[in-house]
Amino acid sequence: MRVLLAASEATPFAKTGGLADVASGLSKALAAIGHEVTLVLPHYRQVIKPGLIGELVGKVTIPVGEKRVEAEIRSTTLPGSTVRVLLIDQPDYFDRAGLYVEKGHDYTDNAERFIFFSRAVLEAARQLDLQPDVIHANDWQTGIIPAMLASEYRLQPWFQKTASVFTIHNMAFQGRYPWWEYKLSGLRWELFNWRQLEFYGELNLLKAGIAMSEIVTTVSPTYAREICRPEFGYGLDPALQTRGDALIGILNGVDTTEWNSAIDPALPLRYTVDTVREGKAACKAALQREMGLPVKPEAMVLGLVSRLTDQKGLGLIASRAADMFRADVQFVCLGSGEARYETWLQELKTQFPNKVGATIGFNEGLAHRIEAGSDAFLMPSQFEPCGLNQMYSLAYGTPPIVSNVGGLADSVVDCSPESIGNGTGNGFKFSQFTADAFLNCVWRAVGVFQHDKAAWNRLIRNGMTRDWSWARSAAEYVKVYNNARSRVK
Ligand code: ADP
Ligand code: GLC
């Protein structure tokens, strides 16, 4: 099958979060089972890294409202795969310090940038004669592609049989803009109605993808059910409900060429499930040193790598950190995000210098060393469409402590005598999103870590031996693509 995957970020070209890992991990896995995959990305300033610069293969002129905007198409390959990557090079839109945000503020022309990008994806496909069977768009940035395909491009011979699949990675980001921005899309006004692209008088790009694609997927089965309810749907739960069996949840995978403790170049000692004891001990000591903490094997290191936002449960951690430190635990945190949480972290480090190691910023290598060197990983999210870090933790022998939502619910099996006995238990879960429930869950984990090493080792083994690879999820996407194609007349 010929699959064109459009995304606003992909590892190693440009990344702010899990979408980047998914775009490249899924593309590689689809290519590995014989599909012809083209990944289309904006050519951001970050892309200009050795080995990633593409060769010029075409030029497009894109109508954006009244303007005609020119762009170059560059072609390269996703490292370690046969996936072709097309980069849409338009410096006015993409040669900037950030992807979507700079100094805490969204770019004011984000609607224009991504409406442009969406149309450029379709124009590039036409110009290079890709004739995709499926266009797979992701999140609000490419949400208008299914609308452009259904209402305009499918009338053209190149796209007559092309189906669209739209994946939601996070309902909290919808791409909502004033109605007049809709004019930038060049689409007919009839589509600007409450069933399709309009949402309380505004343009909603996520809704466009939900309403106009053949199949909507999201990144875990539990999140697929949750977003049909008002608590998780952010106003779009009715739109999702109407999609019925065209809304499908598929759990993300782990890219085992990037996240694999046996070959990870970022680690001081690599390890497998058979050498995990020595491997983690070495990684833990090195991490404690790197983060300026006392090197104490008996202290339980709790790791966190995250965008610092309410979504990730930072509020719960902030309100119970001092309680956590009554036990012999250390907290190692890497993240960036909301200023109030960055300030809080710095203050916490000053207050508990022997307990807290914190780095504010984005650091790929350190993210890997925290996954490997921590004893347990904190992910008490308020909502979590899938979450990749808990899966990386599981694969690295670091039992996660998580809230029971979304992809966390689908990947973490709570520690209990039964789940330890039957070989499934791999972490700790709490159900009520309260600070006390979170703290109790941490205490349970501390108790097992300190007093029941046999059970702890079983948790590690259970996490490390389950198959988290993309191969399983890619097979499910292929079914979805076929399902979508059967819906195009
Ligand atoms: P989300 O996409 O909601 O942020 P995920 O768990 O799906 O959450 O993915 C987050 C990805 O971003 C992971 O690969 C994680 O390691 C990475 N990440 C998050 N914050 C940082 C950071 N400060 N430095 C390096 N990597 C980070
Ligand atoms: C989003 C979600 C996260 C998910 C990622 C990749 O950023 O917040 O849960 O893992 O997308 O699908």
Side-chain angles (χ1 to χ4, degrees):
M1 205 178 331
R2 277 191 300 272
V3 181
L4 191 151
L5 201 135
S8 57
E9 49 185 272
T11 312
F13 294 90
K15 167 168 172 174
T16 65
L19 169 62
D21 294 7
V22 173
S24 57
L26 173 60
S27 298
K28 282 191 216 172
L30 289 168
I33 51 176
H35 300 287
E36 199 181 313
V37 185
T38 305
L39 174 61
V40 193
L41 304 169
H43 189 287
Y44 301 105
R45 186 179 297 169
Q46 288 81 342
V47 169
I48 308 164
K49 296 175 191 152
L52 299 183
I53 300 163
E55 65 168 307
L56 186 65
V57 290
K59 287 189 183 178
V60 281
T61 303
I62 307 296
V64 182
E66 304 289 293
K67 289 193 254 178
R68 294 285 170 277
V69 180
E70 298 198 340
E72 295 185 341
I73 310 167
R74 299 184 177 278
S75 173
T76 182
T77 309
L78 189 62
S81 76
T82 57
V83 175
R84 183 181 196 191
V85 179
L86 297 179
L87 297 156
I88 306 296
D89 192 358
Q90 211 306 317
D92 292 339
Y93 290 142
F94 301 124
D95 186 7
R96 300 186 186 183
L99 269 54
Y100 324 116
V101 180
E102 198 171 318
K103 299 197 179 97
H105 296 286
D106 283 10
Y107 290 121
T108 52
D109 58 351
N110 272 347
E112 178 173 341
R113 296 168 77 220
F114 289 102
I115 287 172
F116 157 82
F117 175 67
S118 297
R119 195 173 276 283
V121 168
L122 291 158
E123 287 297 328
R126 174 163 63 179
Q127 198 183 99
L128 302 178
D129 199 21
L130 299 181
Q131 303 203 14
D133 298 306
V134 174
I135 298 186
H136 183 171
N138 292 273
D139 270 354
W140 68 266
Q141 292 91 340
T142 51
I144 205 162
I145 290 180
M148 290 175 168
L149 179 66
S151 70
E152 278 184 22
Y153 284 78
R154 202 169 283 140
L155 308 175
Q156 304 178 5
W158 294 278
F159 296 100
Q160 255 169 14
K161 295 216 159 65
T162 304
S164 66
V165 170
F166 180 64
T167 296
I168 301 166
H169 297 263
N170 198 330
M171 291 300 298
F173 302 107
Q174 299 189 357
R176 287 172 60 173
Y177 298 100
W179 64 267
W180 56 86
E181 305 262 25
Y182 180 70
K183 289 191 271 188
L184 299 169
S185 73
L187 292 173
R188 317 192 297 273
W189 274 108
E190 292 88 279
L191 297 179
F192 197 72
N193 68 72
W194 69 275
R195 286 181 187 277
Q196 293 175 309
L197 277 72
E198 185 265 354
F199 184 69
Y200 295 104
E202 293 184 328
L203 167 64
N204 185 319
L205 296 173
L206 193 79
K207 186 173 179 181
I210 293 170
M212 304 288 290
S213 56
E214 268 66 57
I215 301 271
V216 183
T217 76
T218 188
V219 287
S220 68
T222 295
Y223 195 59
R225 291 188 294 275
E226 287 170 344
I227 58 181
C228 291
R229 306 206 310 260
E231 309 92 274
F232 293 93
Y234 284 82
L236 288 177
D237 35 302
L240 287 157
Q241 280 165 21
T242 58
R243 294 304 317 251
D245 67 358
L247 170 64
I248 296 170
I250 302 177
L251 197 70
N252 289 330
V254 171
D255 181 346
T256 47
T257 62
E258 295 278 334
W259 290 94
N260 182 344
S261 61
I263 56 168
D264 190 333
L267 306 187
L269 188 66
R270 294 167 202 143
Y271 58 90
T272 64
V273 67
D274 297 322
T275 55
V276 61
R277 190 198 288 251
E278 311 87 80
K280 277 192 77 75
C283 291
K284 175 171 171 177
L287 180 66
Q288 288 172 320
R289 258 192 301 279
E290 181 173 357
M291 300 305 278
L293 290 169
V295 179
K296 286 173 65 183
E298 71 281 9
M300 182 177 182
V301 175
L302 303 177
L304 177 78
V305 179
S306 185
R307 290 186 286 118
L308 303 177
T309 63
D310 286 338
Q311 177 195 338
K312 300 296 179 177
L314 264 292
L316 300 192
I317 303 177
S319 71
R320 290 296 180 274
D323 296 293
M324 272 173 11
F325 297 146
R326 300 207 318 260
D328 191 7
V329 302
Q330 296 174 341
F331 175 49
V332 165
C333 175
L334 165 65
S336 61
E338 288 177 32
R340 62 194 168 119
Y341 288 129
E342 293 189 356
T343 311
W344 161 72
L345 253 184
Q346 272 149 346
E347 286 170 4
L348 196 69
K349 190 172 163 175
T350 315
Q351 204 183 345
F352 298 97
N354 290 328
K355 296 273 192 184
V356 179
T359 299
I360 307 285
F362 203 87
N363 183 331
E364 299 266 358
L366 182 55
H368 287 241
R369 289 190 291 280
I370 292 177
E371 292 289 4
S374 304
D375 292 301
F377 194 87
L378 298 182
M379 215 156 154
S381 306
Q382 192 171 3
F383 64 94
E384 196 58 79
C386 177
L388 295 170
N389 280 309
Q390 84 282 7
M391 292 198 274
Y392 302 155
S393 309
L394 289 162
Y396 277 55
T398 309
I401 298 172
V402 307
S403 49
N404 194 20
V405 291
L408 301 171
D410 293 338
S411 55
V412 178
V413 180
D414 193 36
C415 173
S416 67
E418 302 79 66
S419 70
I420 291 289
N422 66 21
T424 57
N426 57 18
F428 297 86
K429 285 206 274 203
F430 63 98
S431 290
Q432 289 251 303
F433 188 72
T434 64
D436 285 333
F438 163 67
L439 186 63
N440 279 331
C441 194
V442 173
W443 288 144
R444 274 203 298 134
V446 171
V448 178
F449 179 80
Q450 290 180 338
H451 304 297
D452 192 350
K453 280 288 176 222
W456 192 264
N457 291 335
R458 291 295 294 272
L459 291 176
I460 291 180
R461 170 166 278 277
N462 294 345
M464 288 186 87
T465 50
R466 195 165 133 183
D467 178 13
W468 301 106
S469 70
W470 264 108
R472 170 189 47 84
S473 314
E476 289 188 55
Y477 275 101
V478 172
K479 281 192 217 147
V480 164
Y481 295 157
N482 282 322
N483 184 342
R485 291 172 72 190
S486 73
R487 293 172 190 240
V488 178
K489 273 129 225 120

